[in-house]
Structure formats: structure tokens, C-alpha cells
Amino acid sequence: FYGIQKSEFFPTFFQNIDLALSPNRVNVLDKGAFDGFPLQSESGFFGVPIFCSDELGINKNYEDKKDLVIIKPDIDDIIQNIEYFIKNMEELKKIGEQGKLKIQKYFDINHQISEREKFLNKFLLNSNAI
């Protein structure tokens, strides 16, 4: 743990990270819930390849083995994926670079505003419930 850091800390810090690992599990805390949140957005923003589970099947914007690596929350699957990419570092680097572009696209302020406007128009402004 590095404590509270200013934003200038992260670009250099993430240059030394090989991958971000988040093997979240589903239905442990409650039915349909998962035990963590994929918090790699910050690392992925700087090009760190993301390895995360998606047991609920909610990943709609990112392509497995292109923008990130979908893993099972299982030690054997995690080890198998990591060992594969240790032997294929250029492929891992490409996934990090592609993931970076995808995250920067989806977290761009203009994209975020546009998506929220669409949501508000669809579910609030055009609703009979108002």
C-alpha cells in the first residue's frame, strides 16, 4: 500500500506493473452479487493489461484477449493465463495498449456525458412515471 498519492505518482508507478489481477467471485456475498469491483480502470488507463473475471457476463464493451483477459476466479485458470502471457509478452503488451485505448474512450468526459444524457432521456425524461 502506497498511501494517498497525487495524480503525478501514477504514470511512473504503473510503468512498473505487469498486469492488474481481479478474480472476483459471484454469489458469495449474496445471490447475483460479486465480491469486489473490477478496480483496474486506473491501471488500464495507463496501459496495464487487465485480467479480471466476468462471472455475471456483464462485460459488453471489451473483447477478451484483445482489450483485457477474462479469467475464471480459479487458481489453475489464473496460473494458466499468466504463464501463457509470460511466454507471449508482446501479445500481453498489445492487450495493455488496446485496453488503454478502450478505457480512455469510455471514460472520456464527452462520452460519459453523452451516455448519461441518453439514459436520462430514455428512462427519466420520456417516462410516464414522472
Side-chain angles (χ1 to χ4, degrees):
F1 183 70
Y2 293 87
I4 297 171
Q5 297 293 325
K6 295 184 178 189
S7 58
E8 302 84 43
F9 169 83
F10 295 103
T12 303
F13 172 76
F14 285 121
Q15 287 178 353
N16 298 313
I17 304 297
D18 295 315
L19 62 91
L21 179 64
S22 184
N24 298 318
R25 299 167 300 155
V26 68
N27 297 320
V28 173
L29 299 175
D30 199 3
K31 184 177 181 182
F34 54 97
D35 66 352
F37 186 82
L39 298 174
Q40 304 88 358
S41 300
E42 187 80 16
S43 59
F45 186 86
F46 290 100
V48 176
I50 296 172
F51 285 49
C52 64
S53 57
D54 185 20
E55 298 294 291
L56 295 175
I58 58 176
N59 173 46
K60 304 295 182 209
N61 296 319
Y62 299 89
E63 188 176 330
D64 185 27
K65 306 281 190 300
K66 181 179 177 187
D67 306 315
L68 50 67
V69 177
I70 301 292
I71 57 169
K72 296 176 186 167
D74 169 78
I75 190 67
D76 293 328
D77 184 68
I78 294 168
I79 290 170
Q80 182 180 1
N81 274 287
I82 291 174
E83 285 179 340
Y84 172 83
F85 284 104
I86 286 172
K87 295 173 186 170
N88 297 280
M89 293 299 286
E90 285 302 312
E91 190 175 343
L92 180 66
K93 184 178 178 182
K94 287 180 186 177
I95 291 171
E97 291 169 357
Q98 185 63 32
K100 174 182 176 177
L101 295 174
K102 209 44 108 63
I103 287 172
Q104 289 179 350
K105 172 186 173 183
Y106 287 116
F107 283 85
D108 175 73
I109 188 71
N110 293 321
H111 177 78
Q112 290 290 312
I113 290 170
S114 172
E115 290 300 305
R116 290 169 187 171
E117 286 176 344
K118 288 177 195 174
F119 175 85
L120 290 171
N121 285 326
K122 181 175 182 179
F123 293 105
L124 296 178
L125 300 178
N126 295 325
S127 172
N128 292 329
I130 297 178

